[in-house]
Amino acid sequence: MRGRPGGDGRGVFSPSGKRFVTACLPLEKAACVWDAATGKAVTRLPIAGGARPTTLGWYDEKPLLISTAAGIGIMDLTGRVTETLLKLGKNSEIYPHFSAT
């Protein structure tokens, strides 16, 4: 595996299983997306969110649910936040969890 699984380890693989996401090493301040067949890097996405940056999982085949500067949002694989789902203040102490089940 290339880095620690994002979030709690669930939702690591895209719905098709063609890609997976990890917390990039060494600082884990970015999400790394990998091609599952080749192991090659697809992209590296910035993770915001203060002391608890997190990747929650895949929103669809390409975008991810991820902590952003505004809170929790949907980020495409170019690093563009396409939608903010939950706005959080800088001092918010929330520990989001995502379950696809």
Side-chain angles (χ1 to χ4, degrees), residues 18-57:
K18 292 180 180 179
R19 295 183 175 144
F20 65 96
V21 63
T22 65
C24 298
L25 297 174
L27 298 177
E28 299 188 354
K29 298 288 185 182
C32 286
V33 177
W34 308 93
D35 182 286
T38 65
K40 292 183 179 179
V42 174
T43 191
R44 181 182 182 105
L45 303 170
I47 302 176
R52 294 211 25 116
T54 190
T55 303
L56 296 170

Side-chain angles (χ1 to χ4, degrees), residues 79-99:
R80 184 175 62 97
V81 177
T82 59
E83 188 173 352
T84 297
L85 301 175
L86 179 63
K87 290 185 179 183
L88 299 171
K90 289 188 178 190
N91 295 325
S92 297
E93 290 197 29
I94 182 171
Y95 304 100
H97 174 78
F98 172 73
S99 177

